[in-house]
Amino acid sequence: MRDADVVVIGGGAAGLSLARRLTAPRMRARRPLTVALVEAPPGALRPGPRTWCYWEAAGGEYDGAVRADWGRLRVTGPDGAAVVRDPAPLRYKMIRSPDFERWADGELARSGCLRLEAVVESVQDVPGGAEVRGHDARGAPVRLRARWVFDSRPPGRPGPARATLLQHFRGWFVRTARPVFDPGVADLMDFRTPQPRHGLAFGYVLPLGPREALVEYTEFSAAVLGGAAYDRALGHYVTEVLDVGDFEVTAVEEGVIAMTDARFPRRTGRSVFPIGVAGGTTRPATGYSFAAAQRQSRAIAAALAEGRTPLAPAPHAARARAMDAVLLRALDTGRVDGAALFTGLFGKVPAPRLLRFLDGRTNVLEDLAVGLRTPARPMLRTALELPFLPRRPAGS
């Protein structure tokens, strides 16, 4: 006996996206599936509000949940020289997790998706499928059986890798006393911040109006900072660099993203598949994950609609992962100036091509054209040494 055809674990971007896609009218018309979505009860295991960004043309399937979008992107070098690009037809889009959850809740309520709140303790293969075991908020046992299980729970430490950096950040949602932001321009990287010896640091500004914005301080480096250090860096950036005048902080978000060339499993059992960050959707060189999670969920839905084993392809191609490993190693060793590298790329590469490159959707010739805009000698040295480096566990 099975409780569902599919169990999806986790109510973040990957889990909600997959559950919605598997219960959409188009999917039900092709191959009706019973789907159960298991989410952690409110508490420590349920993530707080967070922001997801990606780029695509106007009229995307999630536009109903998009909080803001921008048609121009800016990168500012350490000397204050700014590069502003129009990536048309692409736009840079921002989704807040509470907005996405409300939107997805409405979609799933109309689809008949079974929803449960439980702490998942184990997932294992059983004859004919897989079994999910856990307990609910009162401690009562929960057990579900399904033909297929997709698990989006955070993977913990990444596996052995040759190159690993952490993208760690803290952001303030600020409201200013006077209009200081341009709602038409998103600042992807502002390098008018002190730079670490290895890696890079930058400001990140997403205006929500003339007097409101998400302002973040971000580092790519080997270790996270203390909480006070983020606030000092943010305070300096907001008051000294941006010079916004009087302001108030209305909300805070922070996070740590592993940027690594570690291998992520595409399958953890005959009927069990990791998805989302656990399934390798995070792009090692950028930390972006949302768009890759959508590609992954589309591939899974297509396989199930056609009656195939739902083993999705790797979220990022081998060529893209190899290039990312070279960049991470070059930044970690201090061989390249990260601020100069990214400022140069945005200044020399057409914006639509660069964004497609960052999303892993360029061809070999386009990759070569982008690569020629990077520091040749240190990148070549790193590429030649990388195959001979051992993969080491995180933190070693």
Side-chain angles (χ1 to χ4, degrees):
M1 293 289 293
R2 289 203 300 263
D3 298 291
D5 296 310
V6 173
V7 168
V8 179
I9 302 173
L16 287 173
S17 297
L18 180 58
R20 187 200 68 85
R21 207 173 295 281
L22 294 182
T23 56
R26 182 180 300 179
M27 182 70 180
R28 294 201 301 270
R30 295 182 66 184
R31 183 178 291 269
L33 297 171
T34 54
V35 178
L37 176 65
V38 182
E39 302 170 79
L45 293 179
R46 181 173 287 191
R50 54 221 184 273
T51 300
W52 300 310
C53 290
Y54 59 106
W55 37 82
E56 69 172 5
E61 63 180 323
Y62 296 122
D63 277 9
V66 168
R67 173 72 65 90
D69 64 350
W70 300 270
R72 289 183 294 159
L73 307 176
R74 179 165 51 209
V75 173
T76 303
D79 61 356
V83 177
V84 181
R85 290 288 181 260
D86 179 351
L90 303 178
R91 297 185 66 84
Y92 192 60
K93 299 184 179 184
M94 168 190 176
I95 291 180
R96 291 283 288 155
S97 61
D99 298 332
F100 187 74
E101 289 161 7
R102 283 191 291 271
W103 180 85
D105 287 348
E107 295 286 310
L108 292 175
R110 292 188 288 270
S111 72
C113 177
L114 172 65
R115 304 188 66 172
L116 301 92
E117 289 188 348
V119 176
V120 173
E121 298 166 339
S122 67
V123 182
Q124 59 184 14
D125 286 318
V126 295
E131 183 176 74
V132 177
R133 292 194 177 206
H135 62 271
D136 64 17
R138 296 171 298 177
V142 172
R143 186 174 71 174
L144 287 169
R145 288 198 174 195
R147 177 66 187 93
W148 308 109
V149 173
F150 300 93
D151 191 350
S152 70
R153 289 176 298 166
R157 284 191 172 190
R162 300 166 299 179
T164 298
L165 287 177
L166 299 177
Q167 180 181 155
H168 49 104
F169 58 89
R170 176 170 291 179
W172 290 344
F173 285 86
V174 301
R175 181 179 295 120
T176 60
R178 57 185 174 87
V180 295
F181 301 112
D182 181 350
V185 182
D187 286 280
L188 289 188
M189 290 179 162
D190 184 345
F191 292 107
R192 292 176 292 173
T193 57
Q195 296 298 309
R197 183 179 177 187
H198 294 172
L200 70 156
F202 56 90
Y204 177 66
V205 184
L206 300 183
L208 305 176
R211 297 176 53 242
E212 293 184 90
L214 168 61
V215 182
E216 287 187 355
Y217 172 79
T218 300
E219 276 195 19
F220 294 2
S221 58
V224 300
L225 307 178
Y230 293 108
D231 286 338
R232 284 194 300 271
L234 265 171
H236 174 268
Y237 182 64
V238 171
T239 59
E240 301 297 327
V241 178
L242 298 181
D243 189 21
V244 303
D246 294 336
F247 70 96
E248 64 173 324
V249 177
T250 59
V252 178
E253 71 171 29
E254 58 188 7
V256 180
I257 301 170
M259 303 167 65
T260 175
D261 74 335
R263 299 185 178 102
F264 288 82
R266 294 164 57 203
R267 192 173 195 165
T268 53
R270 292 189 308 274
S271 297
V272 183
F273 306 87
I275 60 172
V277 174
T281 57
T282 300
R283 179 75 193 264
T286 66
Y288 286 100
S289 181
F290 188 84
Q294 305 314 310
R295 293 195 296 269
Q296 187 181 65
S297 67
R298 283 193 290 268
I300 291 169
L304 289 174
E306 296 165 7
R308 297 183 283 110
T309 298
L311 179 63
H316 303 288
R319 187 176 71 254
R321 298 196 304 272
M323 291 186 296
D324 288 356
V326 172
L327 175 61
L328 292 177
R329 174 71 178 172
L331 289 172
D332 192 27
T333 58
R335 290 176 188 154
V336 298
D337 180 332
L341 184 148
F342 281 103
T343 303
L345 286 177
F346 272 86
K348 299 172 184 176
V349 180
R353 178 189 297 169
L354 183 58
L355 294 185
R356 287 188 292 106
F357 172 80
L358 294 176
D359 206 24
R361 294 185 291 113
T362 44
N363 58 40
V364 174
L365 291 179
E366 290 174 316
D367 289 344
L368 180 60
V370 173
L372 291 174
R373 302 299 186 182
T374 63
R377 184 172 296 178
M379 298 297 276
L380 179 58
R381 174 186 171 186
T382 305
L384 292 175
E385 79 173 6
L386 201 64
F388 302 99
L389 294 177
R391 292 184 176 271
R392 300 185 184 279
S396 65

